[in-house]
Amino acid sequence: MNDHYNQPELTELYDDENVWDASADFYRDLARELGARSLLDIGCGTGTVTRGIAAAIGCEAVGLDPAAPMLAVARRKTKGESVAWIEGDARKARLDRRFDLIMMTGHAFQGFVTREDQAALLATIAAHLGPEGRFAFDTRNPAAQEWLEWTPDHSRRVVDTEAYGAVEIWDEQRMDAMTGILDVVEHYRIVKSGRRLRSDFRLRFTPQAELARALASAGLAVEHWFGDWNRAPFVGDAREIIVVGRLNRAPGC
């Protein structure tokens, strides 16, 4: 499988297509409202959001990601922000510290495609969350069927990149309705040279009710369900499922 995140050629153009946006504003504003002094960004990738929040609010941050090429870009782009970059598997990582805010951005949660993977991830969040800390992450709502847009005709676009100039990108996908797992092939054509690259990956689309059960099983309590980056309450056909919560507190504690 040609994993995007472990291909240095594709890693170099990742930030050209994935820029700071409304979702990054959401996490930055949340960190500021919480007065977070420490941040763990799981699946941090090239670290754009991690660095941006650390710089904006002056917190200490840790970026955790399994892909060495993505972290190489993150380290190269760090310009004095207080961020430690750690290569590791979020299902198994134990960093021997707790954080005021733990987040996963960019629908990274969907990369955990089995219930066992999700449970292990959520256990990691619970193990690293401070007593008054908060966690937040986003996942696409399966009811919105966003994958129907990921066809060559609907997804084709041209992105101007620093490394390669114009790059044509398009997607193909196949959904397994029984499991909610989507297999995606993302194609890249460097316009100037005609060279082609591809990325193969899988995403799981988890319904909100199932996610709620998984969070409760991990000892995590939800404070807010949002359906968009403007913090509108989640409704059944919302495009996003955005969750903010904390450690569960037993009654009387």
Side-chain angles (χ1 to χ4, degrees):
M1 179 172 286
N2 301 304
D3 174 9
H4 181 123
Y5 307 110
N6 283 297
Q7 295 185 72
E9 299 92 341
L10 291 180
T11 299
E12 286 301 321
L13 59 79
Y14 183 85
D15 285 348
D16 295 304
E17 191 177 13
N18 297 274
V19 299
W20 188 281
D21 60 9
S23 68
D25 286 339
F26 172 92
Y27 288 105
R28 179 202 58 206
D29 294 347
L30 178 64
R32 182 175 285 139
E33 290 163 15
L34 294 172
R37 305 306 302 164
S38 59
L39 166 70
L40 173 60
D41 186 0
I42 296 176
C44 64
T46 59
T48 298
V49 179
T50 326
R51 294 192 310 274
I53 293 176
I57 70 172
C59 69
E60 293 186 357
V62 172
L64 176 69
D65 200 277
M70 298 289 276
L71 291 176
V73 175
R75 293 187 179 101
R76 189 178 75 228
K77 292 189 173 184
T78 302
K79 306 297 182 184
E81 302 91 347
S82 182
V83 184
W85 306 106
I86 297 177
E87 183 180 344
D89 184 338
R91 297 168 298 180
K92 304 174 183 177
R94 293 296 182 269
L95 306 180
D96 196 28
R97 63 174 295 189
R98 292 181 179 266
F99 296 85
D100 296 334
L101 175 60
I102 299 175
M103 66 182 196
M104 294 185 68
T105 69
H107 308 111
F109 179 80
Q110 291 185 252
F112 297 83
V113 297
T114 69
R115 290 185 176 89
E116 292 77 14
D117 287 343
Q118 290 182 354
L121 165 68
L122 296 176
T124 294
I125 291 175
H128 292 88
L129 202 58
E132 301 301 323
R134 298 295 188 274
F135 70 88
F137 63 85
D138 51 83
T139 182
R140 298 177 184 89
N141 183 10
Q145 296 186 305
E146 185 178 335
W147 62 85
L148 296 178
E149 302 169 13
W150 299 357
T151 63
D153 287 344
H154 287 93
S155 65
R156 196 176 302 271
R157 66 267 192 202
V158 176
V159 176
D160 290 323
T161 71
E162 183 177 349
Y164 306 115
V167 178
E168 184 183 23
I169 306 172
W170 67 96
D171 303 310
E172 297 176 298
Q173 52 79 12
R174 180 177 60 82
M175 170 60 81
D176 184 330
M178 294 296 294
T179 64
I181 295 175
L182 185 76
D183 285 285
V184 183
V185 179
E186 193 157 64
H187 299 273
Y188 301 81
R189 184 179 69 87
I190 300 171
V191 173
K192 184 176 181 179
S193 67
R195 183 184 179 192
R196 291 176 180 263
L197 301 165
R198 65 179 279 173
S199 171
D200 299 67
F201 56 95
R202 309 187 89 191
L203 301 173
R204 185 173 185 185
F205 284 72
T206 304
Q208 187 257 358
E210 182 179 332
L211 178 56
R213 291 191 293 270
L215 289 163
S217 294
L220 298 168
V222 175
E223 293 183 322
H224 302 288
W225 294 101
F226 298 120
D228 64 29
W229 301 113
N230 293 318
R231 304 192 184 194
F234 175 79
V235 294
D237 61 351
R239 196 171 177 89
E240 302 284 347
I241 302 173
I242 306 164
V243 56
V244 179
R246 54 172 172 77
L247 288 171
N248 192 22
R249 302 188 184 97
C253 292

